[in-house]
Amino acid sequence: MAKKSKIAANERRKAVVARYAERRAELKEIIRTGTSQERADAARQLARQPRDASATRIRNRDSVDGRPRGHLTRFGLSRVRFREMAHRGELPGITKASW
């Protein structure tokens, strides 16, 4: 189980990313296609935004206990939790391989 403060910080980051997502996309498009002066202005505005407004600051965590490592995106679980739930039969369509 991850620390509650780490899970809360990650949730706070998700909210900040959602709040700034549209404006960040606009600025990045200007940087990609604008004139040199527009690009410089957009880059300055982008740099003034909070650090947590960047989507790369979000950490993928286990949806059950918040474990940050070994995250399986398809299931939203860590490898440890995935294995436990699969063995108990709690994941439909998942079977243990044997050959």
Side-chain angles (χ1 to χ4, degrees):
M1 181 84 185
K3 290 170 52 174
K4 299 281 186 198
S5 60
K6 292 289 189 180
I7 295 170
N10 203 45
E11 294 303 316
R12 198 171 49 248
R13 282 189 196 105
K14 286 180 183 178
V16 173
V17 167
R19 189 177 331 134
Y20 286 92
E22 189 176 329
R23 181 63 181 148
R24 284 184 70 83
E26 290 170 3
L27 291 172
K28 286 186 176 261
E29 182 62 25
I30 291 170
I31 290 171
R32 194 174 69 80
T33 62
T35 65
S36 61
Q37 183 60 39
E38 290 172 341
R39 287 179 184 178
D41 292 340
R44 249 184 262 108
Q45 289 177 22
L46 196 61
R48 271 193 307 230
Q49 289 188 343
R51 278 188 183 170
D52 287 344
S54 174
T56 58
R57 301 274 293 187
I58 296 175
R59 177 76 185 208
N60 287 330
R61 290 184 172 270
D62 186 320
S63 60
V64 177
D65 65 2
R67 187 177 200 278
R69 304 286 180 110
H71 184 264
L72 303 174
T73 304
R74 184 173 173 192
F75 301 96
L77 300 169
S78 67
R79 62 181 177 78
V80 177
R81 180 74 48 187
F82 175 81
R83 188 168 189 270
E84 289 173 358
M85 292 176 76
H87 281 304
R88 289 192 303 249
E90 296 176 1
L91 298 174
I94 304 297
T95 57
K96 186 174 186 303
S98 62
W99 59 92

Coordinates of all heavy atoms in Angstrom, one line a residue:
M1 N 0.8 -1.2 0.0 CA 0.0 0.0 0.0 C 0.9 1.2 0.0 O 1.8 1.4 0.8 CB -0.9 0.0 1.2 CG -1.8 1.1 1.4 SD -3.3 0.8 0.4 CE -4.1 2.3 0.7
A2 N 0.6 2.1 -0.9 CA 1.4 3.4 -1.0 C 0.9 4.4 0.1 O -0.2 4.2 0.7 CB 1.1 4.0 -2.4
K3 N 1.8 5.3 0.4 CA 1.4 6.3 1.4 C 0.2 7.1 0.8 O 0.1 7.4 -0.3 CB 2.6 7.3 1.6 CG 3.8 6.7 2.3 CD 5.0 7.5 2.3 CE 4.8 8.9 2.7 NZ 6.0 9.7 2.8
K4 N -0.7 7.5 1.7 CA -1.9 8.2 1.4 C -1.5 9.6 0.8 O -2.2 10.1 -0.1 CB -2.8 8.4 2.6 CG -3.2 7.2 3.2 CD -4.4 6.6 2.5 CE -5.0 5.4 3.3 NZ -5.8 4.6 2.4
S5 N -0.4 10.2 1.3 CA 0.0 11.5 0.8 C 0.4 11.4 -0.7 O 0.2 12.3 -1.5 CB 1.1 12.1 1.6 OG 2.2 11.2 1.6
K6 N 1.1 10.3 -1.1 CA 1.5 10.2 -2.5 C 0.3 10.0 -3.4 O 0.3 10.5 -4.5 CB 2.5 9.0 -2.6 CG 3.8 9.2 -1.9 CD 4.6 10.2 -2.7 CE 6.0 10.2 -2.2 NZ 6.8 11.2 -2.8
I7 N -0.6 9.2 -2.9 CA -1.8 9.0 -3.7 C -2.6 10.3 -3.9 O -3.1 10.6 -5.0 CB -2.7 7.9 -3.1 CG1 -2.0 6.6 -3.1 CG2 -4.1 7.8 -3.8 CD1 -2.7 5.5 -2.3
A8 N -2.7 11.1 -2.8 CA -3.4 12.3 -2.8 C -2.7 13.3 -3.7 O -3.4 14.1 -4.5 CB -3.5 12.9 -1.4
A9 N -1.4 13.4 -3.7 CA -0.6 14.3 -4.5 C -0.8 13.9 -6.0 O -1.0 14.8 -6.9 CB 0.9 14.2 -4.2
N10 N -0.9 12.7 -6.3 CA -1.1 12.2 -7.7 C -2.5 12.7 -8.2 O -2.7 13.1 -9.3 CB -0.9 10.7 -7.8 CG -0.6 10.3 -9.2 OD1 0.2 10.9 -9.9 ND2 -1.2 9.3 -9.7
E11 N -3.5 12.5 -7.3 CA -4.9 12.9 -7.7 C -4.9 14.4 -7.9 O -5.6 14.9 -8.8 CB -5.9 12.5 -6.6 CG -6.0 11.0 -6.5 CD -6.4 10.4 -7.8 OE1 -7.3 10.9 -8.5 OE2 -5.9 9.3 -8.1
R12 N -4.2 15.2 -7.1 CA -4.1 16.6 -7.2 C -3.5 17.0 -8.5 O -4.0 17.9 -9.2 CB -3.4 17.2 -6.0 CG -3.6 18.7 -5.8 CD -2.9 19.2 -4.5 NE -1.6 18.8 -4.3 CZ -1.1 17.9 -3.4 NH1 -2.0 17.3 -2.6 NH2 0.2 17.6 -3.3
R13 N -2.4 16.3 -8.9 CA -1.8 16.5 -10.2 C -2.8 16.3 -11.4 O -2.8 17.0 -12.3 CB -0.6 15.7 -10.4 CG 0.6 16.2 -9.6 CD 1.8 15.4 -10.0 NE 2.9 15.6 -9.0 CZ 3.2 14.8 -8.0 NH1 2.7 13.6 -8.0 NH2 4.1 15.1 -7.1
K14 N -3.6 15.2 -11.3 CA -4.5 14.9 -12.3 C -5.5 16.0 -12.5 O -5.9 16.4 -13.6 CB -5.3 13.6 -12.0 CG -4.5 12.4 -12.2 CD -5.3 11.1 -11.8 CE -4.5 9.9 -11.9 NZ -5.2 8.7 -11.5
A15 N -5.9 16.6 -11.4 CA -6.9 17.8 -11.5 C -6.2 19.0 -12.2 O -6.8 19.6 -13.0 CB -7.4 18.1 -10.1
V16 N -5.0 19.2 -11.8 CA -4.3 20.4 -12.4 C -4.0 20.2 -13.9 O -4.2 21.1 -14.7 CB -2.9 20.6 -11.7 CG1 -2.1 21.7 -12.4 CG2 -3.2 21.0 -10.2
V17 N -3.7 18.9 -14.3 CA -3.5 18.6 -15.7 C -4.8 18.8 -16.5 O -4.8 19.4 -17.5 CB -3.0 17.2 -15.9 CG1 -3.1 16.7 -17.3 CG2 -1.5 17.1 -15.4
A18 N -5.9 18.4 -15.9 CA -7.2 18.5 -16.6 C -7.5 20.0 -16.7 O -8.1 20.4 -17.8 CB -8.3 17.8 -15.8
R19 N -7.2 20.8 -15.7 CA -7.5 22.2 -15.7 C -6.8 23.0 -16.8 O -7.3 23.9 -17.5 CB -7.2 22.9 -14.4 CG -7.7 24.3 -14.2 CD -7.5 24.9 -12.9 NE -7.5 23.9 -11.8 CZ -6.6 23.9 -10.8 NH1 -5.6 24.7 -10.8 NH2 -6.7 23.0 -9.9
Y20 N -5.5 22.6 -17.0 CA -4.6 23.3 -18.0 C -4.5 22.7 -19.3 O -3.8 23.2 -20.2 CB -3.2 23.5 -17.4 CG -3.2 24.5 -16.3 CD1 -3.3 24.2 -15.0 CD2 -2.9 25.9 -16.6 CE1 -3.2 25.1 -14.0 CE2 -2.8 26.8 -15.6 CZ -3.0 26.4 -14.3 OH -2.9 27.4 -13.3
A21 N -5.1 21.5 -19.5 CA -4.9 20.7 -20.8 C -5.2 21.5 -22.0 O -4.5 21.5 -23.0 CB -5.8 19.4 -20.7
E22 N -6.4 22.2 -22.1 CA -6.8 22.9 -23.3 C -5.8 24.0 -23.6 O -5.4 24.1 -24.8 CB -8.2 23.4 -23.1 CG -8.8 24.0 -24.4 CD -10.2 24.5 -24.2 OE1 -10.9 23.9 -23.4 OE2 -10.6 25.4 -24.9
R23 N -5.4 24.8 -22.6 CA -4.5 25.9 -22.9 C -3.1 25.4 -23.3 O -2.5 26.0 -24.2 CB -4.4 26.8 -21.6 CG -3.5 28.0 -21.7 CD -4.0 29.0 -22.8 NE -3.1 30.1 -22.9 CZ -2.9 30.8 -24.0 NH1 -3.6 30.5 -25.1 NH2 -2.1 31.8 -24.0
R24 N -2.7 24.3 -22.7 CA -1.4 23.7 -23.0 C -1.4 23.3 -24.5 O -0.4 23.5 -25.2 CB -1.0 22.6 -22.1 CG -0.5 23.0 -20.8 CD -0.1 21.8 -20.0 NE 1.1 21.2 -20.5 CZ 2.3 21.6 -20.2 NH1 2.5 22.6 -19.4 NH2 3.4 21.0 -20.7
A25 N -2.5 22.7 -24.9 CA -2.6 22.2 -26.3 C -2.6 23.4 -27.3 O -1.9 23.3 -28.3 CB -3.9 21.4 -26.5
E26 N -3.2 24.5 -26.9 CA -3.2 25.7 -27.8 C -1.8 26.2 -27.9 O -1.3 26.6 -29.0 CB -4.1 26.8 -27.2 CG -5.6 26.5 -27.2 CD -6.4 27.5 -26.4 OE1 -5.8 28.4 -25.9 OE2 -7.6 27.3 -26.4
L27 N -1.1 26.3 -26.8 CA 0.3 26.9 -26.8 C 1.2 26.0 -27.6 O 2.0 26.5 -28.3 CB 0.8 27.1 -25.3 CG 0.1 28.2 -24.5 CD1 0.5 28.1 -23.1 CD2 0.3 29.5 -25.2
K28 N 1.1 24.7 -27.4 CA 1.9 23.8 -28.1 C 1.7 23.8 -29.6 O 2.6 23.7 -30.4 CB 1.8 22.3 -27.6 CG 2.4 22.2 -26.3 CD 2.4 20.7 -25.8 CE 3.1 20.6 -24.6 NZ 4.4 20.1 -24.7
E29 N 0.4 24.1 -30.0 CA 0.1 24.2 -31.5 C 0.7 25.5 -32.0 O 1.3 25.5 -33.1 CB -1.4 24.2 -31.7 CG -1.8 24.3 -33.1 CD -1.4 23.2 -34.0 OE1 -1.1 22.1 -33.4 OE2 -1.2 23.4 -35.2
I30 N 0.7 26.6 -31.2 CA 1.3 27.8 -31.6 C 2.9 27.6 -31.8 O 3.5 28.1 -32.8 CB 1.0 29.0 -30.6 CG1 -0.4 29.3 -30.7 CG2 1.9 30.2 -30.9 CD1 -0.9 30.3 -29.6
I31 N 3.4 26.9 -30.8 CA 4.9 26.7 -30.9 C 5.2 25.8 -32.1 O 6.2 26.0 -32.8 CB 5.4 25.9 -29.6 CG1 5.3 26.9 -28.4 CG2 6.8 25.4 -29.8 CD1 5.5 26.3 -27.1
R32 N 4.3 24.9 -32.5 CA 4.6 24.1 -33.7 C 4.4 24.8 -35.0 O 5.2 24.6 -36.0 CB 3.6 22.9 -33.6 CG 3.9 21.8 -34.6 CD 3.0 20.6 -34.4 NE 1.7 20.8 -34.8 CZ 1.3 20.8 -36.1 NH1 2.1 20.5 -37.0 NH2 0.0 21.0 -36.4
T33 N 3.5 25.8 -35.1 CA 3.1 26.4 -36.4 C 3.3 27.9 -36.5 O 3.2 28.4 -37.6 CB 1.6 26.1 -36.7 OG1 0.8 26.6 -35.7 CG2 1.4 24.6 -36.8
G34 N 3.5 28.6 -35.4 CA 3.5 30.0 -35.4 C 4.8 30.7 -35.9 O 5.7 30.0 -36.3
T35 N 4.8 32.0 -36.0 CA 6.0 32.7 -36.4 C 7.0 32.7 -35.2 O 6.6 32.3 -34.1 CB 5.6 34.2 -36.7 OG1 5.2 34.8 -35.5 CG2 4.6 34.3 -37.8
S36 N 8.2 33.2 -35.4 CA 9.2 33.1 -34.4 C 8.8 33.9 -33.1 O 9.0 33.5 -32.0 CB 10.5 33.5 -34.9 OG 10.4 34.9 -35.3
Q37 N 8.2 35.1 -33.3 CA 7.7 35.9 -32.2 C 6.6 35.2 -31.4 O 6.6 35.1 -30.2 CB 7.3 37.3 -32.7 CG 6.9 38.2 -31.5 CD 8.0 38.4 -30.5 OE1 9.2 38.6 -30.9 NE2 7.7 38.4 -29.3
E38 N 5.6 34.6 -32.2 CA 4.5 33.9 -31.5 C 5.0 32.7 -30.8 O 4.6 32.4 -29.7 CB 3.5 33.5 -32.6 CG 2.7 34.6 -33.2 CD 1.8 34.1 -34.4 OE1 2.1 33.0 -34.9 OE2 0.9 34.8 -34.7
R39 N 6.0 32.0 -31.4 CA 6.6 30.8 -30.7 C 7.3 31.2 -29.4 O 7.1 30.5 -28.4 CB 7.6 30.2 -31.6 CG 7.0 29.4 -32.8 CD 8.1 28.8 -33.6 NE 7.6 28.2 -34.8 CZ 8.3 27.6 -35.7 NH1 9.6 27.6 -35.7 NH2 7.7 27.1 -36.8
A40 N 8.0 32.3 -29.4 CA 8.7 32.7 -28.2 C 7.7 33.1 -27.1 O 7.9 32.7 -25.9 CB 9.6 33.9 -28.5
D41 N 6.6 33.8 -27.5 CA 5.6 34.2 -26.5 C 4.9 33.0 -25.9 O 4.7 32.9 -24.7 CB 4.6 35.1 -27.2 CG 5.2 36.5 -27.5 OD1 6.2 36.9 -26.9 OD2 4.6 37.2 -28.4
A42 N 4.6 32.0 -26.8 CA 3.9 30.8 -26.4 C 4.8 30.0 -25.5 O 4.3 29.4 -24.5 CB 3.4 30.0 -27.6
A43 N 6.0 29.9 -25.8 CA 7.0 29.2 -24.9 C 7.1 29.8 -23.6 O 7.2 29.1 -22.5 CB 8.4 29.1 -25.6
R44 N 7.1 31.1 -23.5 CA 7.2 31.8 -22.2 C 5.9 31.6 -21.4 O 6.0 31.3 -20.2 CB 7.3 33.3 -22.4 CG 8.7 33.9 -22.0 CD 8.8 35.3 -22.1 NE 9.5 35.6 -23.4 CZ 9.0 36.2 -24.5 NH1 7.7 36.6 -24.5 NH2 9.7 36.4 -25.6
Q45 N 4.8 31.6 -22.1 CA 3.5 31.4 -21.4 C 3.5 29.9 -20.9 O 3.0 29.6 -19.8 CB 2.3 31.6 -22.3 CG 2.1 33.1 -22.5 CD 1.0 33.3 -23.5 OE1 0.1 32.5 -23.7 NE2 1.0 34.5 -24.2
L46 N 3.9 29.0 -21.7 CA 4.0 27.6 -21.3 C 4.9 27.4 -20.1 O 4.5 26.6 -19.2 CB 4.4 26.7 -22.5 CG 4.2 25.2 -22.4 CD1 2.7 24.9 -22.3 CD2 4.8 24.6 -23.6
A47 N 6.0 28.1 -20.1 CA 6.9 27.9 -18.9 C 6.4 28.5 -17.7 O 6.8 28.1 -16.6 CB 8.3 28.6 -19.3
R48 N 5.5 29.5 -17.8 CA 4.9 30.1 -16.6 C 3.8 29.3 -15.9 O 3.5 29.5 -14.8 CB 4.3 31.5 -17.0 CG 5.3 32.6 -16.9 CD 4.5 33.9 -16.9 NE 3.7 34.0 -18.1 CZ 3.6 35.0 -19.0 NH1 4.4 36.0 -18.8 NH2 2.8 34.9 -20.0
Q49 N 3.3 28.3 -16.7 CA 2.3 27.4 -16.1 C 2.9 26.6 -14.9 O 4.1 26.4 -14.9 CB 1.7 26.5 -17.1 CG 0.8 27.2 -18.1 CD 0.1 26.3 -19.0 OE1 0.5 25.1 -19.2 NE2 -0.9 26.8 -19.7
P50 N 2.1 26.1 -14.0 CA 2.6 25.2 -13.0 C 3.3 24.0 -13.5 O 2.9 23.4 -14.5 CB 1.4 24.9 -12.1 CG 0.3 25.7 -12.6 CD 0.6 26.3 -14.0
R51 N 4.2 23.5 -12.8 CA 4.9 22.2 -13.2 C 3.9 21.1 -13.3 O 4.0 20.3 -14.2 CB 5.9 21.8 -12.1 CG 7.2 22.5 -12.3 CD 8.2 21.9 -11.3 NE 9.5 22.7 -11.4 CZ 10.5 22.5 -10.6 NH1 10.4 21.7 -9.6 NH2 11.6 23.2 -10.8
D52 N 3.0 21.0 -12.4 CA 2.1 19.9 -12.3 C 1.0 20.0 -13.4 O 0.2 19.1 -13.5 CB 1.4 19.8 -11.0 CG 2.3 19.3 -9.9 OD1 3.3 18.7 -10.3 OD2 2.0 19.4 -8.7
A53 N 1.1 21.0 -14.3 CA 0.1 21.1 -15.4 C 0.5 20.2 -16.5 O -0.2 19.9 -17.4 CB 0.0 22.5 -15.9
S54 N 1.8 19.7 -16.5 CA 2.3 18.8 -17.5 C 1.8 17.3 -17.2 O 1.9 16.8 -16.1 CB 3.8 18.8 -17.6 OG 4.3 17.8 -18.4
A55 N 1.3 16.7 -18.3 CA 0.7 15.3 -18.1 C 1.8 14.3 -17.7 O 1.5 13.3 -17.1 CB 0.0 14.9 -19.4
T56 N 3.1 14.6 -18.0 CA 4.1 13.6 -17.6 C 4.4 13.6 -16.1 O 5.1 12.7 -15.7 CB 5.4 14.0 -18.4 OG1 5.8 15.3 -18.0 CG2 5.3 13.9 -19.9
R57 N 3.8 14.5 -15.4 CA 4.0 14.5 -13.9 C 3.1 13.5 -13.2 O 3.2 13.2 -12.1 CB 3.7 15.9 -13.4 CG 4.6 17.0 -13.9 CD 5.9 17.1 -13.2 NE 5.7 17.6 -11.9 CZ 6.6 17.9 -11.1 NH1 7.9 17.9 -11.5 NH2 6.4 18.4 -9.9
I58 N 2.1 12.9 -14.0 CA 1.2 12.0 -13.4 C 1.9 10.6 -13.4 O 2.4 10.2 -14.3 CB -0.1 11.9 -14.2 CG1 -0.9 13.2 -14.1 CG2 -1.0 10.8 -13.7 CD1 -2.1 13.3 -14.9
R59 N 1.7 9.9 -12.2 CA 2.3 8.6 -12.1 C 1.2 7.6 -12.2 O 0.2 7.7 -11.5 CB 3.0 8.5 -10.7 CG 3.6 7.2 -10.3 CD 4.9 7.0 -11.0 NE 5.4 5.7 -10.8 CZ 6.7 5.5 -10.8 NH1 7.6 6.4 -11.0 NH2 7.1 4.2 -10.5
N60 N 1.4 6.5 -13.0 CA 0.5 5.4 -13.1 C 0.6 4.6 -11.8 O 1.6 4.2 -11.4 CB 0.8 4.5 -14.3 CG 0.4 5.1 -15.6 OD1 -0.5 5.9 -15.7 ND2 1.1 4.8 -16.6
R61 N -0.6 4.5 -11.1 CA -0.6 3.8 -9.9 C -1.7 2.7 -9.9 O -2.7 2.8 -10.6 CB -0.9 4.7 -8.7 CG 0.3 5.6 -8.4 CD 0.0 6.5 -7.2 NE 1.2 7.3 -6.9 CZ 2.1 6.8 -6.0 NH1 2.0 5.6 -5.4 NH2 3.2 7.5 -5.8
D62 N -1.5 1.7 -9.1 CA -2.5 0.6 -8.9 C -3.8 1.2 -8.4 O -3.8 2.0 -7.5 CB -2.0 -0.4 -7.9 CG -2.8 -1.6 -7.7 OD1 -4.1 -1.5 -7.7 OD2 -2.3 -2.7 -7.6
S63 N -4.9 0.9 -9.0 CA -6.2 1.5 -8.7 C -6.7 1.0 -7.3 O -7.5 1.6 -6.7 CB -7.2 1.2 -9.7 OG -7.4 -0.2 -9.9
V64 N -6.2 -0.1 -6.8 CA -6.7 -0.7 -5.6 C -5.9 -0.1 -4.4 O -6.4 0.4 -3.4 CB -6.6 -2.2 -5.6 CG1 -7.0 -2.8 -4.3 CG2 -7.5 -2.8 -6.7
D65 N -4.5 -0.3 -4.5 CA -3.7 0.1 -3.3 C -2.7 1.3 -3.6 O -2.0 1.7 -2.7 CB -3.0 -1.0 -2.7 CG -2.0 -1.7 -3.6 OD1 -1.8 -1.2 -4.7 OD2 -1.4 -2.7 -3.2
G66 N -2.6 1.7 -4.8 CA -1.7 2.9 -5.1 C -0.3 2.5 -5.4 O 0.6 3.4 -5.5
R67 N 0.0 1.2 -5.6 CA 1.4 0.8 -5.8 C 1.9 1.5 -7.1 O 1.3 1.4 -8.1 CB 1.5 -0.7 -5.9 CG 2.9 -1.2 -6.0 CD 2.9 -2.7 -6.0 NE 4.2 -3.3 -5.6 CZ 5.3 -3.4 -6.4 NH1 5.2 -3.0 -7.6 NH2 6.4 -3.9 -6.0
P68 N 3.1 2.2 -7.1 CA 3.6 2.9 -8.2 C 4.4 2.1 -9.2 O 4.5 2.5 -10.4 CB 4.5 4.0 -7.6 CG 5.0 3.3 -6.4 CD 3.9 2.5 -5.9
R69 N 4.9 0.9 -8.9 CA 5.7 0.2 -9.8 C 5.0 -1.0 -10.3 O 4.1 -1.6 -9.7 CB 7.0 -0.3 -9.0 CG 7.8 0.7 -8.4 CD 8.6 1.5 -9.4 NE 9.4 2.5 -8.8 CZ 10.7 2.5 -8.7 NH1 11.4 1.5 -9.2 NH2 11.4 3.5 -8.1
G70 N 5.4 -1.5 -11.5 CA 4.9 -2.7 -12.1 C 3.4 -2.5 -12.5 O 2.6 -3.4 -12.3
H71 N 3.1 -1.4 -13.0 CA 1.7 -1.0 -13.4 C 1.3 -1.6 -14.8 O 2.1 -1.5 -15.7 CB 1.5 0.5 -13.5 CG 0.1 0.9 -13.7 ND1 -0.3 1.2 -15.0 CD2 -0.9 1.1 -12.9 CE1 -1.6 1.6 -14.9 NE2 -2.0 1.5 -13.7
L72 N 0.2 -2.3 -14.8 CA -0.3 -2.9 -16.1 C -1.4 -2.0 -16.5 O -2.5 -2.0 -16.0 CB -0.8 -4.3 -15.9 CG 0.2 -5.3 -15.3 CD1 -0.4 -6.7 -15.0 CD2 1.4 -5.5 -16.3
T73 N -1.2 -1.2 -17.6 CA -2.1 -0.2 -18.0 C -3.5 -0.8 -18.4 O -4.5 -0.2 -18.1 CB -1.5 0.6 -19.2 OG1 -0.3 1.1 -18.8 CG2 -2.4 1.7 -19.6
R74 N -3.4 -1.9 -19.1 CA -4.7 -2.5 -19.6 C -5.7 -2.8 -18.4 O -6.9 -2.7 -18.6 CB -4.3 -3.8 -20.3 CG -5.5 -4.5 -20.9 CD -5.0 -5.6 -21.8 NE -6.2 -6.4 -22.3 CZ -6.1 -7.6 -22.8 NH1 -4.9 -8.1 -23.0 NH2 -7.2 -8.2 -23.2
F75 N -5.2 -3.1 -17.3 CA -6.0 -3.5 -16.1 C -6.1 -2.4 -15.0 O -6.9 -2.5 -14.2 CB -5.5 -4.8 -15.5 CG -5.6 -6.0 -16.5 CD1 -4.4 -6.3 -17.2 CD2 -6.7 -6.6 -16.8 CE1 -4.4 -7.3 -18.1 CE2 -6.8 -7.6 -17.7 CZ -5.6 -8.0 -18.4
G76 N -5.1 -1.5 -15.1 CA -5.1 -0.5 -14.0 C -4.6 -1.0 -12.7 O -4.9 -0.5 -11.6
L77 N -3.9 -2.1 -12.7 CA -3.4 -2.8 -11.5 C -1.9 -3.0 -11.6 O -1.3 -3.0 -12.6 CB -4.1 -4.2 -11.4 CG -5.6 -4.3 -11.3 CD1 -6.0 -5.7 -11.5 CD2 -6.1 -3.7 -10.0
S78 N -1.3 -3.2 -10.4 CA 0.1 -3.5 -10.4 C 0.2 -5.0 -10.6 O -0.7 -5.8 -10.5 CB 0.7 -3.2 -9.0 OG 0.2 -4.1 -8.0
R79 N 1.4 -5.5 -11.0 CA 1.7 -6.9 -11.3 C 1.3 -7.8 -10.1 O 0.8 -8.9 -10.3 CB 3.1 -7.1 -11.7 CG 4.1 -6.7 -10.7 CD 5.5 -6.9 -11.1 NE 6.4 -6.5 -10.0 CZ 6.7 -7.2 -8.9 NH1 6.1 -8.4 -8.8 NH2 7.5 -6.8 -8.0
V80 N 1.6 -7.3 -8.9 CA 1.3 -8.1 -7.7 C -0.2 -8.3 -7.5 O -0.7 -9.4 -7.3 CB 2.0 -7.4 -6.5 CG1 1.6 -8.2 -5.2 CG2 3.4 -7.3 -6.7
R81 N -0.9 -7.2 -7.6 CA -2.4 -7.2 -7.4 C -3.0 -8.0 -8.5 O -4.0 -8.8 -8.3 CB -2.9 -5.8 -7.4 CG -4.4 -5.7 -7.2 CD -4.9 -6.0 -5.8 NE -4.0 -5.2 -4.9 CZ -4.1 -5.4 -3.6 NH1 -4.9 -6.2 -3.0 NH2 -3.3 -4.7 -2.8
F82 N -2.5 -7.8 -9.8 CA -3.1 -8.6 -10.9 C -2.9 -10.1 -10.7 O -3.9 -10.8 -10.9 CB -2.3 -8.2 -12.2 CG -2.7 -8.9 -13.4 CD1 -3.8 -8.6 -14.1 CD2 -1.9 -10.0 -13.8 CE1 -4.2 -9.3 -15.2 CE2 -2.3 -10.8 -14.9 CZ -3.4 -10.4 -15.6
R83 N -1.8 -10.5 -10.2 CA -1.6 -11.9 -10.0 C -2.5 -12.5 -8.9 O -3.1 -13.5 -9.1 CB -0.1 -12.1 -9.6 CG 0.3 -13.6 -9.5 CD 1.9 -13.6 -9.4 NE 2.3 -15.0 -9.5 CZ 2.5 -15.8 -8.5 NH1 2.2 -15.4 -7.2 NH2 2.9 -17.1 -8.7
E84 N -2.6 -11.7 -7.8 CA -3.5 -12.2 -6.7 C -4.9 -12.3 -7.2 O -5.6 -13.3 -6.9 CB -3.5 -11.2 -5.6 CG -2.2 -11.1 -4.8 CD -2.1 -10.0 -3.8 OE1 -3.1 -9.2 -3.7 OE2 -1.1 -9.9 -3.1
M85 N -5.4 -11.3 -7.9 CA -6.8 -11.3 -8.4 C -7.0 -12.3 -9.4 O -8.1 -13.0 -9.5 CB -7.2 -9.9 -8.9 CG -7.3 -8.8 -7.8 SD -7.6 -7.2 -8.4 CE -9.4 -7.3 -8.8
A86 N -6.1 -12.6 -10.3 CA -6.2 -13.6 -11.3 C -6.3 -15.0 -10.7 O -7.1 -15.8 -11.1 CB -5.0 -13.5 -12.3
H87 N -5.5 -15.2 -9.7 CA -5.5 -16.5 -9.0 C -6.8 -16.8 -8.3 O -7.3 -17.9 -8.2 CB -4.4 -16.7 -8.0 CG -3.0 -17.0 -8.6 ND1 -2.8 -18.1 -9.4 CD2 -1.9 -16.3 -8.5 CE1 -1.6 -18.1 -9.8 NE2 -1.0 -17.0 -9.3
R88 N -7.4 -15.7 -7.7 CA -8.7 -15.8 -7.1 C -9.9 -15.9 -8.0 O -11.0 -16.0 -7.6 CB -8.9 -14.7 -6.1 CG -8.0 -14.8 -4.9 CD -8.4 -13.8 -3.8 NE -8.5 -12.4 -4.3 CZ -7.6 -11.4 -4.0 NH1 -6.7 -11.7 -3.1 NH2 -7.7 -10.2 -4.5
G89 N -9.6 -15.6 -9.3 CA -10.7 -15.7 -10.3 C -11.5 -14.4 -10.4 O -12.6 -14.4 -10.9
E90 N -10.9 -13.3 -9.9 CA -11.7 -12.0 -9.9 C -11.5 -11.2 -11.2 O -12.2 -10.2 -11.3 CB -11.2 -11.2 -8.7 CG -11.5 -11.8 -7.4 CD -10.9 -11.0 -6.2 OE1 -10.3 -10.0 -6.5 OE2 -11.1 -11.5 -5.1
L91 N -10.7 -11.7 -12.1 CA -10.5 -11.0 -13.4 C -11.1 -11.9 -14.5 O -10.6 -12.9 -14.9 CB -9.1 -10.7 -13.7 CG -8.4 -9.8 -12.7 CD1 -6.9 -9.8 -13.0 CD2 -8.9 -8.5 -12.7
P92 N -12.3 -11.5 -15.1 CA -12.9 -12.3 -16.1 C -12.0 -12.5 -17.3 O -11.4 -11.5 -17.8 CB -14.2 -11.5 -16.5 CG -14.1 -10.2 -15.8 CD -13.0 -10.2 -14.8
G93 N -12.0 -13.7 -17.8 CA -11.2 -14.0 -19.0 C -9.7 -14.2 -18.8 O -9.0 -14.5 -19.7
I94 N -9.2 -14.1 -17.6 CA -7.8 -14.3 -17.3 C -7.6 -15.6 -16.7 O -8.3 -16.0 -15.7 CB -7.3 -13.2 -16.3 CG1 -7.5 -11.8 -16.9 CG2 -5.8 -13.4 -16.0 CD1 -6.8 -11.5 -18.2
T95 N -6.8 -16.4 -17.3 CA -6.5 -17.8 -16.7 C -5.0 -17.9 -16.6 O -4.2 -17.3 -17.3 CB -7.0 -18.9 -17.6 OG1 -6.4 -18.7 -18.9 CG2 -8.5 -18.8 -17.7
K96 N -4.6 -18.7 -15.6 CA -3.1 -19.0 -15.5 C -2.6 -19.9 -16.6 O -3.2 -20.9 -16.9 CB -2.9 -19.6 -14.1 CG -1.4 -19.7 -13.8 CD -1.2 -20.3 -12.4 CE 0.2 -20.3 -11.9 NZ 1.1 -21.0 -12.8
A97 N -1.6 -19.5 -17.2 CA -1.0 -20.3 -18.3 C -0.3 -21.5 -17.8 O 0.3 -21.5 -16.7 CB 0.0 -19.5 -19.1
S98 N -0.5 -22.6 -18.5 CA 0.3 -23.9 -18.2 C 0.5 -24.6 -19.5 O -0.4 -24.7 -20.3 CB -0.5 -24.7 -17.2 OG -1.7 -25.1 -17.7
W99 N 1.7 -25.1 -19.7 CA 2.0 -25.8 -20.9 C 3.1 -26.8 -20.6 O 3.7 -26.9 -19.6 CB 2.5 -24.9 -22.0 CG 3.7 -24.0 -21.7 CD1 5.0 -24.4 -21.9 CD2 3.7 -22.7 -21.1 NE1 5.8 -23.3 -21.5 CE2 5.0 -22.3 -21.0 CE3 2.7 -21.9 -20.7 CZ2 5.4 -21.1 -20.5 CZ3 3.1 -20.7 -20.1 CH2 4.4 -20.3 -20.1

